[in-house]
Amino acid sequence: MQPLPIFYLNQVYQQLRQWDCNVNIWLAHNGMTLEQLQDPHYQMIFDDYQRLIASAIHLSARPDLGLHVGNRIGINTHGMMGFAMLNSSTLKQAIETLKQFINTRTPLVKISIHETTKALVVTLEAVQPLGMIQQPYMDALLVTLTKLLQQLTPQSSPLCQVNISFAPPSYWQQYAELFKAPVHFNQAKTQLMLTLASMTQPLDMADPSSFMQAKQWCINELKQLNGQQSLSDKLYQYLLQSSVPLPSLSDTAAHFHMTPRTVHRHLAQQQSSYKCIVASVNHQIAKHYLSQSQGSIKQLSYQLGYVDVANFRRAFKRWQGTTPSEYRLQQKAHPAI
């Protein structure tokens, strides 16, 4: 899997310190140093990233950690993307900049935009199963984006509604206080709905020259990130966003304008294979399903393309070291560890 930048994890550290948690234990438990955490070039794999956040929630006993971390993140924390947004001419241009360059800050989410007759709808969608950190991650992202809107339009908030795809957590009252707009849980998608009238209003900090310079910097950064991504990483991300059962090698190769033989050759050079990537993706999907859904294991195995449930059970035990049933019980017993 593509390594993740650790932007914003320093805010987790600062929040734990504010709550008087033992941050040294938190770092040591996860095999990290403060120097690594504060190094903007440091990267980690998703499993380590997930473990770091989950253990922060466990250490602090605060499932609302994501809301507080999101509230700590100012526009300057977003690097050149934040600078481009700050210098945008209108709020719509700032939102389009966010959509285009969000992956320079985090590759775990994609943003789409569409207009209705009443609002501009900003949809947030994870590009891979986030497992145990889905809620804190989306909490932090929603609050971060809301703060961005407040900083760009301090006179009046453009936010008119928030839709959240998960059930209301124990701390649900905090959402209304933070967003100052109606919040609806158990929705099909996680979305921010903004008034159309606010989209074309000039922003106080607008500077077209600075915006263009910052945008070009972001374009170069995005090109560099895409260039660093191997074919196996690209296939992994593509398959994670595909419906199950996953596409065949032929269909996937066609999507990337390649032949199956070419894909096979490139993956072999990277000491990988399509079969291994599919297994890794199925593993992630299965873990997400078992921890987030009450559906049957038989149903999951069929969705992943296994005709025989016993074959799926053997495959999962090979991936995880436990059976699907054991993994589900572990997640229920220790949901934040």
Side-chain angles (χ1 to χ4, degrees), residues 26 28 48 58 62 77 79 129 152 166 186 188 191 193 290 295 331:
W26 176 62
D48 291 342
H58 179 67
R62 294 292 297 263
T77 317
L152 292 170
F166 44 80
N186 288 318
Q191 298 171 319
M193 305 184 73
L290 292 168
Q331 294 305 298

Side-chain angles (χ1 to χ4, degrees), residues 190-205:
T190 297
Q191 298 171 319
L192 297 175
M193 305 184 73
L194 315 177
T195 59
L196 287 178
S198 65
M199 292 299 105
T200 55
Q201 293 178 358
L203 298 182
D204 293 340
M205 298 289 289

Side-chain angles (χ1 to χ4, degrees), residues 108-179:
L108 294 178
V109 69
K110 66 177 180 179
I111 292 178
S112 57
I113 304 169
H114 74 275
E115 285 189 20
T116 67
T117 55
K118 296 181 179 179
L120 182 85
V121 183
V122 181
T123 301
L124 316 175
E125 184 179 354
V127 299
Q128 68 180 63
L130 298 180
M132 67 183 78
I133 67 166
Q134 178 186 6
Q135 190 160 305
Y137 180 87
M138 296 306 290
D139 277 350
L141 185 60
L142 284 168
V143 176
T144 296
L145 297 188
T146 301
K147 279 199 67 179
L148 270 172
L149 296 172
Q150 293 169 350
Q151 290 170 300
L152 292 170
T153 57
Q155 304 304 320
S156 61
S157 173
L159 187 62
C160 56
Q161 183 173 312
V162 181
N163 294 333
I164 297 178
S165 61
F166 44 80
S170 58
Y171 52 91
W172 61 270
Q173 298 96 330
Q174 294 185 46
Y175 288 81
E177 298 171 10
L178 287 166
F179 298 121

Side-chain angles (χ1 to χ4, degrees), residues 212-237:
M212 290 307 299
Q213 291 178 16
K215 182 177 179 180
Q216 187 58 53
W217 185 286
C218 290
I219 289 172
N220 294 338
E221 191 174 358
L222 201 58
K223 285 180 178 178
Q224 184 179 7
L225 288 172
N226 291 336
Q228 291 174 349
Q229 196 175 28
S230 66
L231 178 61
S232 59
D233 288 333
K234 292 176 182 177
L235 293 182
Y236 184 91
Q237 295 298 329

Side-chain angles (χ1 to χ4, degrees), residues 22-34 52:
N22 193 324
V23 289
N24 293 327
I25 288 180
W26 176 62
L27 290 172
H29 178 73
N30 291 281
M32 284 200 69
T33 65
L34 182 58
L52 203 64

